[in-house]
Amino acid sequence: PMPAWIKQADGRYVWGNRRFLEIHRLPEAQLAGKTDFDLFPGDVAKLLQEHDHETIAADQERFFSEVTPMLNGPPVAW
């Protein structure tokens, strides 16, 4: 399955599916309440935040191609 996640409007993660957690080698207990800036390098986090803001402004589903570094491994594109 594809990675999936839910964030609050302020950008804090609420939930990530098993694939999301596996890709980032992140225990579920360490995801809730974190932001992209807590998890990823600043340039990556800024881009993810911009995508979030575009999605909220559009008030509809948006699709982006994103590359995020694994927290303990090579980058992953999705």
Side-chain angles (χ1 to χ4, degrees), residues 3-57:
W5 60 94
I6 297 173
K7 293 182 192 175
Q8 296 177 175
D10 68 359
R12 295 193 180 279
Y13 285 89
V14 175
W15 171 86
N17 72 354
R18 183 173 44 171
R19 184 67 181 138
F20 180 87
L21 297 171
E22 287 172 354
I23 286 172
H24 296 292
R25 297 186 179 136
L26 186 67
E28 186 174 359
Q30 291 184 10
L31 180 64
K34 297 275 196 290
T35 69
D36 292 319
F37 289 94
D38 296 322
L39 300 175
F40 305 111
D43 57 334
V44 173
K46 185 175 184 213
L47 179 63
L48 298 175
Q49 185 181 58
E50 288 171 5
H51 289 171
D52 290 347
H53 290 165
E54 285 181 40
T55 301
I56 290 168

